[in-house]
Amino acid sequence: RLRAQGYDFQKVVSRAGELIGLNVEEVIKPGKQPQRVQARSLVCYWAVIELGLVGTSVAKMLGMSQPAVSKAVQRGRRLAADKGYTLRGKL
Protein backbone atom coordinates (compact mmCIF):
# COMPACT_ATOMS: atom_id res chain seq x y z
CA ARG A 1 0.00 0.00 0.00
CA LEU A 2 2.81 2.43 0.82
CA ARG A 3 4.52 1.63 -2.47
CA ALA A 4 1.32 2.57 -4.29
CA GLN A 5 1.46 5.93 -2.48
CA GLY A 6 4.92 6.56 -3.91
CA TYR A 7 7.05 5.41 -0.99
CA ASP A 8 10.32 3.77 -1.96
CA PHE A 9 13.71 3.11 -0.40
CA GLN A 10 14.95 6.62 -1.19
CA LYS A 11 11.98 8.24 0.55
CA VAL A 12 12.53 5.99 3.58
CA VAL A 13 16.17 7.11 3.77
CA SER A 14 15.13 10.73 3.36
CA ARG A 15 12.48 10.51 6.11
CA ALA A 16 14.86 8.81 8.56
CA GLY A 17 17.49 11.46 7.91
CA GLU A 18 14.94 14.22 8.37
CA LEU A 19 13.88 12.87 11.76
CA ILE A 20 17.40 12.24 13.05
CA GLY A 21 18.96 15.35 11.54
CA LEU A 22 21.21 13.85 8.84
CA ASN A 23 21.28 14.28 5.08
CA VAL A 24 20.78 11.29 2.79
CA GLU A 25 24.50 10.82 2.15
CA GLU A 26 25.24 10.67 5.89
CA VAL A 27 22.53 8.05 6.44
CA ILE A 28 23.87 5.81 3.67
CA LYS A 29 27.54 6.23 4.60
CA PRO A 30 28.93 3.44 6.82
CA GLY A 31 29.82 4.24 10.40
CA LYS A 32 28.83 3.66 13.99
CA GLN A 33 28.10 7.21 15.09
CA PRO A 34 24.96 7.20 17.28
CA GLN A 35 22.86 9.41 14.97
CA ARG A 36 23.83 7.36 11.92
CA VAL A 37 23.00 4.10 13.71
CA GLN A 38 19.58 5.47 14.67
CA ALA A 39 18.81 6.65 11.16
CA ARG A 40 19.92 3.39 9.57
CA SER A 41 17.91 1.42 12.12
CA LEU A 42 14.79 3.36 11.16
CA VAL A 43 15.56 2.79 7.47
CA CYS A 44 15.93 -0.95 8.02
CA TYR A 45 12.74 -1.16 10.08
CA TRP A 46 10.61 0.82 7.65
CA ALA A 47 12.09 -0.77 4.53
CA VAL A 48 11.64 -4.34 5.76
CA ILE A 49 8.44 -4.07 7.81
CA GLU A 50 6.53 -1.20 6.20
CA LEU A 51 7.62 -1.54 2.55
CA GLY A 52 8.13 -5.31 2.59
CA LEU A 53 11.61 -5.22 1.11
CA VAL A 54 13.82 -8.27 1.63
CA GLY A 55 16.51 -7.87 4.28
CA THR A 56 19.26 -8.98 1.91
CA SER A 57 18.38 -6.27 -0.61
CA VAL A 58 18.30 -3.64 2.15
CA ALA A 59 21.68 -4.93 3.32
CA LYS A 60 23.16 -4.48 -0.15
CA MET A 61 21.76 -0.95 -0.49
CA LEU A 62 23.20 0.09 2.88
CA GLY A 63 26.44 -1.89 2.69
CA MET A 64 25.51 -4.01 5.70
CA SER A 65 25.27 -7.73 6.33
CA GLN A 66 21.87 -9.40 6.44
CA PRO A 67 22.21 -10.25 10.17
CA ALA A 68 23.08 -6.60 10.87
CA VAL A 69 19.90 -5.55 9.07
CA SER A 70 17.86 -7.96 11.20
CA LYS A 71 19.27 -6.43 14.39
CA ALA A 72 18.73 -2.93 13.01
CA VAL A 73 15.07 -3.75 12.32
CA GLN A 74 14.59 -4.51 16.01
CA ARG A 75 16.44 -1.35 17.07
CA GLY A 76 14.39 0.67 14.60
CA ARG A 77 11.13 -0.81 15.91
CA ARG A 78 12.04 0.22 19.48
CA LEU A 79 13.24 3.67 18.41
CA ALA A 80 10.10 4.39 16.39
CA ALA A 81 7.89 3.27 19.28
CA ASP A 82 9.86 5.18 21.94
CA LYS A 83 10.11 8.45 19.99
CA GLY A 84 6.80 8.24 18.11
CA TYR A 85 8.52 8.31 14.71
CA THR A 86 6.43 7.37 11.71
CA LEU A 87 7.30 6.87 8.08
CA ARG A 88 4.35 8.92 6.93
CA GLY A 89 4.94 12.59 7.10
CA LYS A 90 6.26 15.36 4.91
CA LEU A 91 8.50 13.86 2.25
Side-chain angles (χ1 to χ4, degrees), residues 11-75:
K11 285 189 179 182
V12 168
V13 172
S14 177
R15 176 69 174 155
E18 174 187 322
L19 290 170
I20 302 299
L22 299 173
N23 64 40
V24 171
E25 293 79 25
E26 291 172 320
V27 174
I28 299 290
K29 193 163 62 169
K32 294 185 180 179
Q33 294 80 3
Q35 284 183 303
R36 192 168 293 152
V37 169
Q38 288 180 351
R40 289 163 68 95
S41 296
L42 287 173
V43 169
C44 290
Y45 170 56
W46 288 332
V48 173
I49 302 301
E50 300 281 336
L51 290 183
L53 298 179
V54 179
T56 52
S57 65
V58 173
K60 285 180 186 176
M61 290 185 271
L62 291 175
M64 300 169 66
S65 68
Q66 189 278 323
V69 169
S70 294
K71 289 179 183 177
V73 167
Q74 297 308 313
R75 276 195 312 271

Side-chain angles (χ1 to χ4, degrees), residues 42 45-46 74-86:
L42 287 173
Y45 170 56
W46 288 332
Q74 297 308 313
R75 276 195 312 271
R77 182 188 317 262
R78 284 192 305 272
L79 181 62
D82 291 348
K83 301 278 187 174
Y85 294 154
T86 62

